[in-house]
Amino acid sequence: MNIANVIIQTIKSIATIKCGKTAAAVVNAVAYGLYTIVTVYMLCELPLWWKAGIVALCNLVGVWVVKYFEEKARKDKLWKVEATFKKGDEWELALFQLKEYGIPVNYIDVEKYIIVNCYCATKDLSEQTKHILERTGAKYFVAESKNL
């Protein structure tokens, strides 16, 4: 029961932040209802250290399980990576490598700088973009896409 309690309490924390009022209220009601039952059962005759160990182990397993499934359910977001090169730098090499890897990219020539925009829809594309830009000496920043 304690593992179920930890799982529901973790889901409650996530739902309170990410969900609407009704979903958060329902999950909180279920979580605190089960918490009361678990608290009563924990008033048994087990030694205190056993109770603490059980609670700690249940938290370790329960939180890990919820976070694992949360990560699996999370959708990739579009990231825009804007890199700046001085004209003499290796911007052409970076552009070639980015295109070779299949990263959507465009660039703008602004006087003594080249601005390269990369659009990364997956974690793999983001990691590759970072490696290429770091190897070629770019200065860059990243912006996450937001829903309007």
Side-chain angles (χ1 to χ4, degrees):
M1 279 192 83
N2 204 7
I3 287 180
N5 178 51
V6 170
I7 288 172
I8 291 172
Q9 291 290 338
T10 306
I11 292 170
K12 171 196 68 95
S13 298
I14 294 168
T16 301
I17 294 168
K18 293 186 176 184
C19 294
K21 293 181 285 202
T22 304
V26 169
V27 172
N28 267 273
V30 170
Y32 282 108
L34 182 60
Y35 175 74
T36 302
I37 295 169
V38 170
T39 302
V40 169
Y41 278 122
M42 288 300 283
L43 294 173
C44 64
E45 296 297 320
L46 287 175
L48 178 61
W49 288 107
W50 281 38
K51 292 177 187 179
I54 290 168
V55 169
L57 185 62
C58 289
N59 273 275
L60 182 70
V61 171
V63 172
W64 190 92
V65 166
V66 171
K67 293 301 287 180
Y68 174 81
F69 285 110
E70 181 193 19
E71 288 172 4
K72 290 292 181 191
R74 186 180 306 144
K75 294 178 183 168
D76 283 332
K77 295 182 180 184
L78 180 65
W79 295 88
K80 177 184 177 188
V81 181
E82 187 172 306
T84 305
F85 294 89
K86 289 184 180 176
K87 281 244 175 123
D89 289 347
E90 297 183 356
W91 72 273
E92 290 172 316
L93 174 63
L95 197 63
F96 173 79
Q97 290 176 347
L98 290 163
K99 286 181 179 181
E100 187 75 13
Y101 199 79
I103 297 164
V105 62
N106 66 19
Y107 71 94
I108 304 166
D109 186 335
V110 287
E111 296 181 26
K112 62 180 182 175
Y113 295 102
I114 302 293
I115 299 171
V116 176
N117 295 302
C118 308
Y119 301 92
C120 305
T122 66
K123 188 175 183 179
D124 183 49
L125 289 178
S126 299
E127 289 174 1
Q128 273 308 97
T129 300
K130 178 183 175 189
H131 293 305
I132 291 168
L133 294 176
E134 286 177 348
R135 280 195 313 258
T136 53
K139 303 237 189 266
Y140 64 92
F141 70 92
V142 180
E144 174 187 4
S145 63
K146 298 285 183 184
N147 293 333
L148 297 176

